[in-house]
C-alpha cells in the first residue's frame, strides 16, 4: 500500500449531497505564498511612495558636543585651527569663556560603529572635488552631518569659513530638539502659564512654580550648586522701540524695573538688575513663528555680591496686543553655565500659544 503524501492536508468540505473532496497541501501553500508576495510588494511600494527608509538607530551624544571626523594631520594644523576658531568660539553672554561645542576629533580610520551615531558630525576630508553641504539622518536619527571636502588645505579652510554659520545653526537646532524631547520623559504638568498667559512650555518636572502675580510667574529649579529660574511676564506692544539705537537702553531700563518689582534679594534695597559692565548681546530671531528680540547678558543683585547669565526673549504677539517676555537665568557660582543656559533656551523656544489669557499687558 503506497503512502499518501497529501493525507495530512486534506480538507473536508460540506457534503451537500456530494462526496468529500481532497485538497492537496501544495495548493494551499502555493496560495499562501502568492498572498504573502502580494502583501510584501504592495507594502514596499507604499513605503517607497512615502519616502521612508529602513530602521535607523537613535543618535547619541551629549548636548553641545560635536564629533569632528578628520585625520590627525589636518586636525593638528591650520585646518584644525580654523575649525576650533568657529566651533569652539566663546558662547555669547556667559561670565566666563566656554566653547560653543565640546569638540571630539575622530580619525576616519576609526569612524565606525557607535561613533557614526553621533547626533552632530562635522566631516572634513581630502577629495578631488570641492563640496560642502548638510546631510540629515545619515547614520542615525536625528542627526546632522556637515560635510566639507576639497583637494587642498586652503580650500578646506575657505569652505569652513563660508559654512560655519549655517552648520552651527543646524547643529544647535538639532540639540534644542533633542533637549525638548528629553523634557517629555518627565514633563512639568502645571497649567499656570496657560491659565495666566495662554501659553505652554516644554520643561522637566523639576521646575516648580513659585511666585505668581497678576502679570508675572517665576519658576525655579534647584541644581547641585545653585538654582535656575524662568520668568514670564508681558508688556504693552510699544514698550520696546524697534530701532536698534534705542532698544538696548529701553531693554535695560525695562529689565531693571521688572527686577526691582518682582525679583528681590535677601534684604531691603536688593533686587536684580542688568550688569552694566558688559553690554548685552541682542539678536533678531523668530520664536513660535513670531518676531522676537533675543537678549543675552549678565544679571546681578543690586547691593549684594550675586550674579549670573540670562537669556531673554521678547516675542511680538500682535494677536494678543502684547509683548510676551520669557527669561531664563542661572545662579551657579564657580560652575560652568553653558549647558544650564542652553537648557533654559530650549525650554523658552518651545513656547506654544494656546489661546486666551487672564491678564492684560502692564497690569501688576
Amino acid at each position: 500500500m503506497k503512502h499518501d503524501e497529501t493525507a495530512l492536508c486534506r480538507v473536508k468540505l460540506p457534503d451537500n449531497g456530494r462526496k468529500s473532496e481532497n485538497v492537496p497541501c501544495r495548493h494551499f501553500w502555493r496560495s499562501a505564498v502568492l498572498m504573502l508576495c502580494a502583501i510584501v510588494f504592495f507594502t514596499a511600494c507604499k513605503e517607497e511612495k512615502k519616502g521612508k527608509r529602513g530602521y535607523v538607530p537613535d543618535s547619541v551624544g551629549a548636548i553641545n558636543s560635536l564629533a569632528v571626523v578628520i585625520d590627525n594631520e589636518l586636525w593638528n594644523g591650520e585646518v584644525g585651527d580654523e575649525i576650533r576658531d568657529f566651533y569652539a568660539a566663546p558662547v555669547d553672554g556667559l561670565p566666563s569663556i566656554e566653547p560653543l561645542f565640546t569638540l571630539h576629533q575622530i580619525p576616519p580610520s576609526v569612524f565606525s560603529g557607535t561613533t557614526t551615531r553621533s547626533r552632530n558630525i562635522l566631516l572634513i576630508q581630502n577629495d578631488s572635488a570641492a563640496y560642502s553641504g548638510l546631510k540629515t539622518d545619515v547614520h542615525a536619527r536625528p542627526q546632522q552631518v556637515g560635510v566639507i571636502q576639497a583637494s587642498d588645505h586652503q580650500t578646506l579652510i575657505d569652505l569652513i569659513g563660508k559654512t560655519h554659520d549655517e552648520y552651527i545653526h543646524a547643529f544647535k537646532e538639532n540639540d534644542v530638539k533633542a533637549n525638548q524631547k528629553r523634557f517629555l520623559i518627565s514633563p512639568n504638568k502645571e497649567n499656570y502659564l496657560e491659565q495666566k498667559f495662554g501659553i505652554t512650555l516644554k520643561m522637566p518636572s523639576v521646575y516648580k512654580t513659585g511666585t505668581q502675580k497678576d502679570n508675572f510667574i517665576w519658576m525655579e529649579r534647584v541644581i547641585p550648586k545653585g538654582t535656575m529660574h524662568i520668568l514670564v511676564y508681558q508688556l504693552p506692544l510699544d514698550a520696546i522701540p524697534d530701532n536698534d539705537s534705542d532698544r538696548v537702553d529701553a531693554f535695560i531700563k525695562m529689565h531693571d524695573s521688572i527686577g526691582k518689582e518682582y525679583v528681590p534679594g535677601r534684604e531691603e534695597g536688593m533686587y536684580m538688575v542688568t550688569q552694566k559692565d558688559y553690554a548685552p548681546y541682542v539678536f533678531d530671531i523668530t520664536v513660535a513663528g513670531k518676531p522676537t528680540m533675543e537678549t543675552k547678558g549678565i544679571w546681578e543683585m543690586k547691593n549684594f555680591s550675586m550674579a549670573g547669565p540670562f537669556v531673554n526673549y521678547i516675542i511680538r504677539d500682535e494677536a494678543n496686543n502684547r509683548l510676551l517676555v520669557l527669561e531664563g537665568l542661572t545662579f551657579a557660582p564657580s560652575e560652568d553655565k553653558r549647558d544650564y543656559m542652553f537648557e533654559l533656551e530650549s525650554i523658552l523656544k518651545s513656547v506654544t500659544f494656546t489661546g486666551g489669557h487672564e491678564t492684560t499687558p502692564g497690569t501688576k
Side-chain angles (χ1 to χ4, degrees):
M1 184 175 180
K2 294 183 178 180
H3 177 65
D4 188 348
E5 295 178 351
T6 66
L8 295 178
C9 292
R10 289 174 184 161
V11 178
K12 188 173 183 179
L13 300 177
D15 185 62
N16 294 331
R18 297 179 300 168
K19 293 182 180 180
S20 299
E21 297 178 14
N22 294 330
V23 182
C25 178
R26 58 179 174 273
H27 294 169
F28 172 81
W29 287 112
R30 182 182 299 168
S31 299
V33 169
L34 288 173
M35 181 63 72
L36 180 61
C37 289
I39 292 172
V40 171
F41 174 77
F42 286 112
T43 301
C45 291
K46 187 176 181 180
E47 292 296 321
E48 185 177 355
K49 286 181 180 179
K50 289 182 178 180
K52 292 183 178 179
R53 299 187 302 161
Y55 170 75
V56 178
D58 292 336
S59 56
V60 298
I63 298 296
N64 295 317
S65 66
L66 177 63
V68 184
V69 182
I70 183 174
D71 67 39
N72 295 334
E73 179 186 357
L74 292 175
W75 179 247
N76 294 322
E78 293 180 347
V79 175
D81 289 341
E82 190 78 356
I83 293 170
R84 287 181 285 272
D85 283 347
F86 291 118
Y87 292 90
V91 177
D92 294 332
L94 296 184
S96 58
I97 296 177
E98 296 185 55
L100 276 175
F101 296 99
T102 301
L103 304 182
H104 303 282
Q105 185 241 343
I106 303 174
S109 59
V110 298
F111 183 59
S112 62
T114 303
T115 58
T116 65
R117 294 170 54 193
S118 299
R119 185 171 49 259
N120 296 317
I121 298 173
L122 181 63
L123 176 60
I124 310 292
Q125 55 190 2
N126 286 119
D127 195 277
S128 57
Y131 170 82
S132 64
L134 280 166
K135 298 184 178 182
T136 301
D137 300 343
V138 179
H139 307 285
R141 183 182 293 128
Q143 185 181 66
Q144 288 288 340
V145 180
V147 181
I148 294 176
Q149 62 185 44
S151 59
D152 62 276
H153 292 189
Q154 188 56 52
T155 304
L156 286 174
I157 291 172
D158 292 342
L159 288 175
I160 291 168
K162 291 178 181 178
T163 60
H164 74 274
D165 282 336
E166 179 188 4
Y167 287 11
I168 288 173
H169 177 77
F171 295 150
K172 287 297 183 182
E173 287 300 303
N174 204 24
D175 277 346
V176 165
K177 292 176 182 177
N179 248 347
Q180 292 172 348
K181 184 177 180 180
R182 294 177 184 184
F183 299 158
L184 299 179
I185 296 174
S186 178
N188 178 292
K189 296 182 180 180
E190 297 175 342
N191 61 356
Y192 304 116
L193 291 174
E194 186 165 15
Q195 290 177 350
K196 193 172 292 293
F197 297 113
I199 64 168
T200 61
L201 294 174
K202 294 178 183 177
M203 70 182 83
S205 57
V206 289
Y207 286 85
K208 304 297 182 184
T209 300
T211 301
Q212 288 193 67
K213 296 188 178 181
D214 288 343
N215 193 42
F216 184 86
I217 286 182
W218 182 350
M219 308 183 77
E220 182 180 51
R221 174 188 175 181
V222 177
I223 53 179
K225 295 185 179 180
T227 52
M228 297 166 65
H229 306 266
I230 293 174
L231 313 179
V232 181
Y233 51 97
Q234 56 189 5
L235 303 168
L237 267 177
D238 60 355
I240 302 294
D242 293 332
N243 54 309
D244 292 339
S245 59
D246 296 332
R247 66 177 180 171
V248 174
D249 290 338
F251 169 83
I252 293 174
K253 183 178 179 180
M254 176 277 296
H255 195 240
D256 291 354
S257 67
I258 291 293
K260 185 175 183 178
E261 178 73 22
Y262 296 112
V263 191
R266 296 179 180 178
E267 300 177 6
E268 188 73 23
M270 297 179 181
Y271 53 89
M272 184 186 76
V273 296
T274 311
Q275 192 173 91
K276 306 303 188 295
D277 293 339
Y278 301 94
Y281 296 86
V282 179
F283 309 92
D284 290 311
I285 64 171
T286 300
V287 173
K290 300 179 186 295
T292 300
M293 174 179 165
E294 178 186 50
T295 307
K296 296 182 177 181
I298 307 297
W299 64 270
E300 64 181 355
M301 193 63 66
K302 186 176 178 65
N303 299 321
F304 188 70
S305 181
M306 185 177 183
F310 73 84
V311 58
N312 181 289
Y313 296 100
I314 300 179
I315 303 174
R316 190 171 184 82
D317 181 20
E318 294 189 357
N320 291 298
N321 195 35
R322 64 178 177 174
L323 297 176
L324 179 72
V325 186
L326 309 175
E327 180 166 336
L329 55 94
T330 295
F331 175 65
S334 303
E335 292 288 299
D336 289 339
K337 301 170 182 64
R338 178 194 66 183
D339 292 348
Y340 290 143
M341 294 306 299
F342 193 74
E343 177 178 299
L344 291 168
E345 180 179 333
S346 301
I347 292 171
L348 302 184
K349 285 184 174 179
S350 75
V351 62
T352 299
F353 291 78
T354 61
H357 51 280
E358 294 176 354
T359 58
T360 56
T363 60
K364 296 183 179 179

